[in-house]
C-alpha cells in the first residue's frame, strides 16, 4: 500500500494548463479504471492557483471538468478586474487588480466547504505567507485548529499575489486575531516538499508516490548586464522579481532526488515553441486574452500527450516506468530521471 501526493503549483491564469491536463487524466482514469482523480489522491497540496484546484478537489464534489471550466475567459475577466483608483499606477503604488471578483468567484464555486470536508483518511494543505509575522502559514487538514476554516478564504489568501492583488485579511484561531496574508508563491510556489514532509509525518513507514504539476516555466531572458544598474522599480518591471522569487525548479530537483525511482512525475514545460507545441502561451500570470487561455489549454493537451499514460498509471499505482522530470524543449519529451547523474 502506498500514498499518492498530488501537488499543484501557483501561476495565476496559467492554472488553465493544469486543469486541462488533469481533466484529460480524469477522463482516461474513468474509462480505463472507473476511477476519478479524487479516488486516487491521498494528499492534495496547492499554492496560489494550485490551492484553488487542490481545495476544490479535496473539499468539494466538483469534477475535474467543472474545475477546468473555472479557467474561462469570462471568469478571468472578473478575477483580473483592473484597479481603477485615482492617482494610482496599478502594480506600482497600488495592486494591479481589485480583489472583489476573485473573492466572489471563489465563494460561488467553493461555497461553504471547509478544510474539514476532506475525505476521511485523506488530507490537504495550501500555502500562504503572513507579512506581519514574516512567516509561512501552511493551512492543513492535519491541524485541528484549521479544520473549520472556509476553503474559499484560504484559496483567496493563497492567491493574493503581491503587486497583483491586495493583501488578504483572515482572522485565525485560536484567538481570532487578524493576520495579513499574501500568495504562498513567494516562498513555495511548488508545494511538493511541504506536502512530502507532512506525508512523512503522517505515514512514516508507507511508500509515497508524487504527481507534481506545474504551470509552465518562464523562458523570457532577463538582461544580465543591464541588471547591474537596477533598483526596486526596475527589478519589478524588467527583472520580474515576483517570478524569480516563485521559481519552482529547486523544489522539483529536491523532490525528484528524495523519492524512490519510478514514484515521481513532474509535469511541466518551458513556455516556448518546441516539438508538438508550435504556439506557446505567454508566461505572464495575468495574460487573460482569449487567445492566451486557448494556448494554455493547448499546453495542457500537449502535457497529456507526453505524460498522460504515465500519470494515469502512477495515480492507479500500476506504473512501472522511470521517474520523469519536466519536458526538454529541444525534444518536446519528458526528461527521464537518471539517479546516477
Amino acid at each position: 500500500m502506498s500514498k499518492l501526493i498530488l501537488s499543484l503549483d501557483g501561476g495565476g491564469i496559467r492554472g488553465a494548463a493544469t486543469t486541462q491536463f488533469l481533466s484529460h487524466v480524469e477522463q482516461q482514469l474513468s474509462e480505463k479504471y472507473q476511477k476519478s482523480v479524487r479516488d486516487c489522491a491521498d494528499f492534495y497540496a496547492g499554492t496560489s492557483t494550485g490551492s484553488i484546484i487542490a481545495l476544490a478537489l479535496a473539499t468539494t464534489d466538483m469534477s475535474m471538468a467543472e474545475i477546468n471550466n473555472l479557467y474561462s475567459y469570462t471568469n478571468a475577466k472578473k478575477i483580473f478586474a483592473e484597479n481603477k483608483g485615482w492617482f494610482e499606477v496599478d502594480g506600482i503604488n497600488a495592486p494591479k487588480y481589485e480583489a472583489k471578483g476573485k473573492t466572489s468567484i471563489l465563494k460561488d464555486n467553493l461555497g461553504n466547504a471547509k478544510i474539514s470536508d476532506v475525505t476521511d483518511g485523506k488530507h490537504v494543505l495550501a500555502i500562504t505567507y503572513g507579512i506581519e509575522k514574516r512567516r509561512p502559514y501552511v493551512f492543513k487538514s492535519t491541524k485541528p485548529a484549521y479544520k473549520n476554516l472556509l476553503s474559499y478564504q484560504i484559496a483567496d489568501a493563497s492567491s493574493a499575489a503581491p503587486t497583483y492583488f491586495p493583501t488578504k485579511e483572515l482572522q485565525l484561531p485560536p484567538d481570532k486575531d487578524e493576520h495579513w496574508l499574501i500568495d504562498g508563491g513567494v516562498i513555495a510556489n511548488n508545494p511538493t516538499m511541504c506536502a512530502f514532509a507532512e506525508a512523512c509525518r503522517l505515514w512514516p513507514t508507507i511508500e509515497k508516490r508524487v504527481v507534481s504539476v506545474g504551470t509552465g516555466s518562464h523562458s523570457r531572458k532577463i538582461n544580465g548586464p543591464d541588471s547591474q544598474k537596477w533598483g526596486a522599480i526596475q527589478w519589478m518591471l524588467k527583472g520580474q522579481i515576483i517570478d524569480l522569487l516563485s521559481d519552482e525548479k529547486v523544489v522539483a530537483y529536491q523532490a525528484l532526488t528524495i523519492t524512490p525511482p519510478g514514484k515521481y512525475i513532474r509535469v511541466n514545460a518551458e513556455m516556448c515553441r518546441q516539438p508538438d507545441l508550435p504556439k506557446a502561451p505567454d508566461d505572464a500570470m495575468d495574460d487573460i486574452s482569449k487567445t492566451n487561455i486557448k494556448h494554455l489549454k493547448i499546453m495542457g493537451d500537449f502535457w497529456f500527450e507526453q505524460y498522460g499514460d504515465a500519470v494515469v498509471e502512477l495515480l492507479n499505482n500500476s506504473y512501472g516506468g522511470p521517474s520523469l522530470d519536466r519536458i526538454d524543449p529541444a525534444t518536446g519529451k519528458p526528461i527521464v530521471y537518471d539517479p546516477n547523474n
Side-chain angles (χ1 to χ4, degrees), residues 68-84:
N68 192 27
N69 288 336
L70 292 179
Y71 289 80
S72 66
Y73 174 73
T74 300
N75 283 342
K77 286 289 288 181
K78 294 177 182 177
I79 291 170
F80 293 92
E82 292 186 8
N83 192 344
K84 299 293 187 181

Side-chain angles (χ1 to χ4, degrees), residues 74-113:
T74 300
N75 283 342
K77 286 289 288 181
K78 294 177 182 177
I79 291 170
F80 293 92
E82 292 186 8
N83 192 344
K84 299 293 187 181
W86 290 98
F87 306 112
E88 294 178 349
V89 182
D90 297 346
I92 303 297
N93 70 340
K96 191 174 181 180
Y97 303 108
E98 297 177 349
K100 293 178 182 178
K102 178 163 72 79
T103 301
S104 176
I105 285 176
L106 290 173
K107 186 175 182 179
D108 288 346
N109 286 278
L110 300 184
N112 294 318

Side-chain angles (χ1 to χ4, degrees), residues 14-318:
R14 302 200 317 260
T18 305
T19 57
Q20 182 78 356
F21 169 75
L22 289 175
S23 294
H24 288 309
V25 167
E26 182 150 279
Q27 183 177 356
Q28 186 163 312
L29 270 171
S30 177
E31 292 172 356
K32 194 169 184 180
Y33 296 111
Q34 295 74 56
K35 293 180 180 179
S36 66
V37 170
R38 189 175 283 114
D39 293 330
C40 299
D42 298 292
F43 201 119
Y44 308 87
T47 299
S48 193
T49 199
S51 76
I52 297 170
I53 304 164
L55 287 163
L57 278 169
T59 66
T60 79
D61 60 0
M62 295 176 71
S63 68
M64 267 313 312
E66 290 172 324
I67 299 170
N68 192 27
N69 288 336
L70 292 179
Y71 289 80
S72 66
Y73 174 73
T74 300
N75 283 342
K77 286 289 288 181
K78 294 177 182 177
I79 291 170
F80 293 92
E82 292 186 8
N83 192 344
K84 299 293 187 181
W86 290 98
F87 306 112
E88 294 178 349
V89 182
D90 297 346
I92 303 297
N93 70 340
K96 191 174 181 180
Y97 303 108
E98 297 177 349
K100 293 178 182 178
K102 178 163 72 79
T103 301
S104 176
I105 285 176
L106 290 173
K107 186 175 182 179
D108 288 346
N109 286 278
L110 300 184
N112 294 318
K114 299 178 181 180
I115 299 295
S116 60
D117 289 330
V118 65
T119 303
D120 288 345
K122 301 191 177 192
H123 292 282
V124 62
L125 67 77
I127 301 170
T128 68
Y129 186 79
I131 58 171
E132 290 186 308
K133 296 184 182 295
R134 295 177 179 266
R135 53 154 287 193
Y137 282 83
V138 181
F139 294 105
K140 52 190 180 181
S141 56
T142 55
K143 186 169 181 175
Y146 289 158
K147 286 199 169 185
N148 287 324
L149 294 175
L150 292 169
S151 295
Y152 90 85
Q153 292 182 324
I154 301 304
D156 206 7
S158 182
S159 57
T163 76
Y164 292 95
F165 292 105
T167 306
K168 182 71 178 178
E169 178 194 358
L170 282 184
Q171 294 181 355
L172 300 179
D175 301 319
K176 298 295 183 181
D177 291 339
E178 65 180 23
H179 291 70
W180 296 92
L181 306 173
I182 60 173
D183 195 313
V186 299
I187 50 162
N189 201 51
N190 178 343
T192 301
M193 291 304 294
C194 293
F196 197 88
E198 193 67 22
C200 285
R201 189 182 67 80
L202 281 169
W203 307 302
T205 62
I206 299 177
E207 183 181 72
K208 288 86 178 168
R209 295 167 286 134
V210 178
V211 174
S212 174
V213 187
T215 59
S217 296
H218 294 271
S219 58
R220 280 184 280 183
K221 182 180 178 181
I222 296 175
N223 190 316
D226 194 37
S227 69
Q228 291 182 308
K229 312 180 194 70
W230 291 350
I233 291 177
Q234 288 86 355
W235 270 107
M236 187 172 69
L237 296 177
K238 297 181 180 180
Q240 305 168 329
I241 189 66
I242 299 300
D243 296 327
L244 292 178
L245 289 171
S246 61
D247 189 80
E248 37 70 38
K249 294 184 182 68
V250 170
V251 172
Y253 165 76
Q254 292 167 334
L256 190 63
T257 303
I258 66 172
T259 48
K263 303 300 179 182
Y264 174 92
I265 295 177
R266 172 63 173 170
V267 178
N268 209 19
E270 290 186 18
M271 285 174 283
C272 63
R273 198 173 167 186
Q274 54 197 289
D276 296 322
L277 188 67
K279 293 183 179 179
D282 185 4
D283 61 10
M285 66 164 281
D286 61 343
D287 184 343
I288 60 167
S289 65
K290 291 180 180 179
T291 296
N292 195 55
I293 293 174
K294 180 179 75 173
H295 288 166
L296 286 164
K297 301 271 187 176
I298 290 172
M299 187 166 73
D301 298 337
F302 168 59
W303 288 352
F304 184 73
E305 291 171 4
Q306 302 306 322
Y307 294 101
D309 290 342
V311 167
V312 166
E313 296 305 321
L314 188 60
L315 285 167
N316 189 57
N317 200 16
S318 53

